[in-house]
Amino acid sequence: MEKTRYQKGVDIINEITVTDNKEIGTHMDIVAAFKDIAPDLESFIVEFAFGDIYSREGLTKHQQTMATIASLVTLGTEPQLELHINVGITIGLTPKEIVGTIVHLIPYTGFPKVLNALKIVKRVFAQRNVKIDDLAMQSN
Amino acid sequence: MEKTRYQKGVDIINEITVTDNKEIGTHMDIVAAFKDIAPDLESFIVEFAFGDIYSREGLTKHQQTMATIASLVTLGTEPQLELHINVGITIGLTPKEIVGTIVHLIPYTGFPKVLNALKIVKRVFAQRNVKIDDLAMQSN
Amino acid sequence: MEKTRYQKGVDIINEITVTDNKEIGTHMDIVAAFKDIAPDLESFIVEFAFGDIYSREGLTKHQQTMATIASLVTLGTEPQLELHINVGITIGLTPKEIVGTIVHLIPYTGFPKVLNALKIVKRVFAQRNVKIDDLAMQSN
Amino acid sequence: MEKTRYQKGVDIINEITVTDNKEIGTHMDIVAAFKDIAPDLESFIVEFAFGDIYSREGLTKHQQTMATIASLVTLGTEPQLELHINVGITIGLTPKEIVGTIVHLIPYTGFPKVLNALKIVKRVFAQRNVKIDDLAMQSN
Amino acid sequence: MEKTRYQKGVDIINEITVTDNKEIGTHMDIVAAFKDIAPDLESFIVEFAFGDIYSREGLTKHQQTMATIASLVTLGTEPQLELHINVGITIGLTPKEIVGTIVHLIPYTGFPKVLNALKIVKRVFAQRNVKIDDLAMQSN
Amino acid sequence: MEKTRYQKGVDIINEITVTDNKEIGTHMDIVAAFKDIAPDLESFIVEFAFGDIYSREGLTKHQQTMATIASLVTLGTEPQLELHINVGITIGLTPKEIVGTIVHLIPYTGFPKVLNALKIVKRVFAQRNVKIDDLAMQSN
């Protein structure tokens, strides 16, 4: 039996955003926070953004998340960037891939957006206890 | 003997942008076009953008190009987007990966920037004779 | 029997975008143009953008279109702005309301985006034979 | 006797921004805050933005405010968005119209800017004691 | 006797935009082009943008024009950028100052906006017969 | 003997960002803050942004800083704007030139970005004990 768009969306959200740390929000928390003023946001985020877009075939979760992070750095919308850096860690992007995606954008977005994004990376890495020792060897 | 930043940059530009089709520009053409008014642009693009940024370890060429395309769609700078969709084809991103990266951004950039990017994709795919038959099977 | 999301979307698209002038595109033309490379875009535009978002209760079609135009002027994405100025005419926004929405944004977006938008307005008004005589009386 | 541009501007500012709650700023507070470093800002905001632009005929105050909110959501400039959500409440936009204008923009700006705007809406609704019970019935 | 805002604005427009080449537009042409749909735009551009803003004391015309060009490169609004590169030439910015202002922005806006701006510079320099020989010596 | 790109960059950073107030950061602090996750950022900022871009001939330090501030106001990236307003004070831009550059952008960026920038100016002027008495005489 085929899953509904809602169920597809919830499954992806659970897969990519849920962590042991209860302080770190997921997309279901966002949905819950706006239930009073925009109850249909739940459908738009769960069914459309995740059930439709994230469940497209063709890109891996790693690729989807790197594209998402690249777009959010360029937009400069920081709360969403924080959320998707967390997603990156949860699905197994390495610190090198997360930092690498952001630093790679310097020629396209300029330094300011990249530096503001890296500040968020440092905060999230600390909160999630990400080991960054080997990053020190990154430049060659 | 270690390669200079300039040589590193030229090597990467040759690897990712040169095609059989002489009508399709490469970054060396951009550099040449502005030699008269900004001769040091050659150093900034070849040595910094490619010799420094693109030669960082940590991301594959595929990952770098997907992040670049995601950022350029978000910025909406169309000549550069056209160039890097060409890069994507040259280095071997599949049509599904190129289109997939762009369509994945709808929840982040909205439809207008994605639609304008897909128009460029169609033009480049036609120019490069990219087979898109199997893309018709993309939605499931 | 409740209409499907797709039917809801098609009905709204027909209501707000179809004109006698076959040269003026509708959202169904956009969907058709990308059927080969992104066939699921039809669902995203028809079912999500129109079936879900445009069919929300709370705003009139006039209000939705003015908000859309204001957002597109601010984004600066010109093909979509042209399309939605056409929508404005089709659903009955007066020339004063269309021009008024755009000129009102000068303090928020600055002059450049407003001037570029007004250039499109002039082209669309000419193509649609919109009478603008009374607009000459607009300033008081 | 015709009102001066300054008087026209002050009258509109008083009409659309003044509330009983002294903690909620008006455009006159902004003007006062910058009197020391840019005294002519008072003229630019009161006389130009309000005396000229807001006093144009053609749009109602409701329409002007919805266009303003749509543009500010798209720009992502949060302090001004907060101010104009307050204006919306003061001039009588319903919660449904304010939330509806913002949610309508998802296809144009993407989710991040809309979610960041709705966070501000919740804060302002709480501060202004806006009843949002009936919004729970919004999706159909 | 003090000049009116309108006269102040016209004087500055004449000073900074009028050239021998009738094909190169001035701000008065913009005003004329929109007289039918937005007649009060004349007042907003001539009286506010030039009569108020450009006639502020504190910056020289050179400084105003460099700040304008830097902002327009960052916005990416090309018709206005073309106009103000023309202004730069008319008021006596050197080719080095015009190109220098734009190239200086690479770390802030990234390469795409700078390259698109330099393309416009080349077109305007050709149209205005600007000698760029000595620019070839620019990098040291 | 010619200075290295790194030494050129450090010299410019020292010249334009170092103050007596240890609480005010310099670009070397940014570099240090990201040494763990992106050690090569030091080279990109010191050698490229300052050693290459800021050491170009053609613009004075005053002109470079005004162009930088104009671009950052337009981008809306506030931490960098704060840093470069500090640079402006350190290299000797007058309060009138700093405020004048920002206010001059109202016709291009609109009021929101200018007002948010002026808020930062007030904070930095207070922290740096900038005398702004004579600015009160600015409008004439």
Side-chain angles (χ1 to χ4, degrees), chain C:
Chain C
M1 208 184 79
E2 225 207 314
K3 286 198 282 190
T4 60
R5 292 168 70 233
Y6 187 84
Q7 195 53 51
K8 272 194 208 176
V10 167
D11 288 353
I12 293 174
I13 290 173
N14 283 338
E15 178 191 346
I16 74 177
T17 67
V18 175
T19 65
D20 290 338
N21 189 333
K22 291 300 161 217
E23 281 171 40
I24 296 161
T26 80
H27 288 82
M28 297 314 286
D29 298 314
I30 296 172
V31 158
F34 294 116
K35 216 176 184 79
D36 51 354
I37 62 169
D40 50 359
L41 210 60
E42 178 169 4
S43 149
F44 302 155
I45 290 181
V46 177
E47 298 184 347
F48 175 65
F50 290 94
D52 289 345
I53 299 290
Y54 272 78
S55 72
R56 295 185 91 228
E57 59 154 317
L59 299 192
T60 64
K61 287 279 165 297
H62 279 63
Q63 289 175 320
Q64 287 181 335
T65 305
M66 290 172 82
T68 301
I69 289 174
S71 182
L72 292 170
V73 171
T74 311
L75 280 175
T77 52
E78 303 200 346
Q80 289 72 34
L81 184 55
E82 180 171 349
L83 183 51
H84 286 276
I85 291 167
N86 268 297
V87 167
I89 296 168
T90 303
I91 65 164
L93 286 183
T94 65
K96 229 172 212 171
E97 284 173 322
I98 293 171
V99 172
T101 300
I102 295 169
V103 171
H104 180 72
L105 300 181
I106 293 172
Y108 304 107
T109 68
F111 285 93
K113 298 219 165 159
V114 165
L115 292 173
N116 293 340
L118 289 177
K119 227 176 295 178
I120 296 172
V121 166
K122 287 206 65 165
R123 194 169 65 226
V124 175
F125 278 10
Q127 195 186 16
R128 298 288 295 271
N129 296 315
V130 171
K131 278 245 182 0
I132 55 172
D133 298 359
D134 63 326
L135 274 168
M137 256 137 285
Q138 190 164 36
S139 69
N140 50 359

Side-chain angles (χ1 to χ4, degrees), chain D residues 6-80:
Chain D
Y6 186 85
Q7 194 53 50
K8 273 194 206 174
V10 167
D11 288 354
I12 294 173
I13 291 173
N14 283 339
E15 178 190 346
I16 74 178
T17 67
V18 174
T19 64
D20 290 340
N21 188 335
K22 292 299 161 220
E23 282 171 40
I24 297 161
T26 80
H27 288 81
M28 298 314 287
D29 298 315
I30 296 171
V31 158
F34 295 116
K35 218 176 183 78
D36 49 356
I37 63 169
D40 49 1
L41 210 60
E42 177 168 5
S43 149
F44 302 155
I45 290 181
V46 177
E47 298 184 348
F48 174 65
F50 289 94
D52 290 345
I53 299 290
Y54 272 78
S55 72
R56 294 184 92 231
E57 59 153 318
L59 299 191
T60 64
K61 287 278 163 299
H62 279 61
Q63 290 175 320
Q64 288 182 335
T65 304
M66 289 172 82
T68 301
I69 289 173
S71 182
L72 293 171
V73 171
T74 312
L75 282 175
T77 51
E78 304 200 344
Q80 289 73 33

